[in-house]
Amino acid sequence: MQTVKNRVETTTGGTIDIIDYAPPYKADFKRLNLEWIEHYFCVEPIDEVLLSNPESYFLQPGGYIFFATCCGQVVGTCALLKHPDRGFELSKMGVTKSYRGMGIGRKLAETAIEKVRSLDEPQIFLETHSKLIPAVNLYKHLGFRPKAFPGGCSERYQRANLYMVLVL
């Protein structure tokens, strides 16, 4: 049984639980991320690698993956990717379309931020695209601020045009 990291009541009377990664959720991690990536962008080769191997690319280097569940369904996810030189990146956050607007993305992000804070890290960063307006607004509301990309541009994603940092 999964330990609930966070629980929130939705405006529709449902309960959303935020839980840690477990192997049975591997396909959900890929499904939830491909849903938003395919809707807004093209899937890049790095997406296939990361989404097909979350244990190797997120967990084994010291990162974390969280899921939002409702009524026995996995409806959202986000990951923390550990970078040896820059700390943690908030990465691969998505909520399935029928559950958007319920505060699930916020709860996932807050859970990730609290995890990084508990590890006494000085900051958390993310890479996104400016056309993802609801996500960018959420990040700004949580305290992330735009900064220049280290090295001038994203090292991994062609689609990323916005780098944001939250100082903890």
Side-chain angles (χ1 to χ4, degrees):
M1 182 170 162
Q2 285 286 317
T3 301
V4 175
K5 313 235 9 117
N6 221 332
R7 177 168 281 156
V8 63
E9 299 296 320
T10 68
T11 55
T12 58
T15 302
I16 303 294
D17 290 331
I18 307 297
I19 60 173
D20 286 319
Y21 178 88
Y25 303 128
K26 180 178 179 178
D28 293 304
F29 183 69
K30 187 172 187 175
R31 170 185 59 83
L32 289 162
N33 278 289
L34 286 178
E35 182 180 321
W36 72 263
I37 294 169
E38 289 173 342
H39 180 79
Y40 292 103
F41 307 102
C42 292
V43 176
E44 297 180 33
I46 188 68
D47 294 315
E48 281 296 335
V49 171
L50 294 174
L51 297 176
S52 297
N53 303 290
E55 293 101 343
S56 297
Y57 288 97
F58 290 94
L59 302 178
Q60 288 175 4
Y64 303 86
I65 299 173
F66 304 105
F67 291 96
T69 63
C70 182
C71 305
Q73 293 182 304
V74 177
V75 299
T77 190
C78 77
L80 286 169
L81 181 60
K82 176 73 172 154
H83 293 265
D85 56 336
R86 290 191 285 158
F88 284 95
E89 174 187 0
L90 179 62
S91 179
K92 300 299 185 219
M93 188 165 81
V95 175
T96 195
K97 189 173 184 174
S98 60
Y99 281 82
R100 292 181 191 152
M102 303 170 91
I104 297 169
R106 172 181 294 281
K107 279 296 173 194
L108 284 163
E110 288 172 346
T111 300
I113 292 165
E114 286 308 310
K115 181 61 180 178
V116 173
R117 189 174 273 127
S118 77
L119 298 170
D120 292 324
E121 291 284 337
Q123 67 179 28
I124 181 174
F125 72 94
L126 61 86
E127 297 181 7
T128 191
H129 193 284
S130 57
K131 80 176 180 181
L132 300 174
I133 296 169
V136 172
N137 287 338
L138 170 62
Y139 301 142
K140 286 180 180 177
H141 190 265
L142 291 170
F144 284 87
R145 297 296 173 248
K147 301 277 185 190
F149 275 97
C153 64
S154 176
E155 296 173 0
R156 279 178 302 184
Y157 303 106
Q158 292 177 4
R159 68 177 168 264
N161 72 352
L162 184 58
Y163 182 84
M164 301 179 83
V165 176
L166 170 62
V167 176
L168 302 174

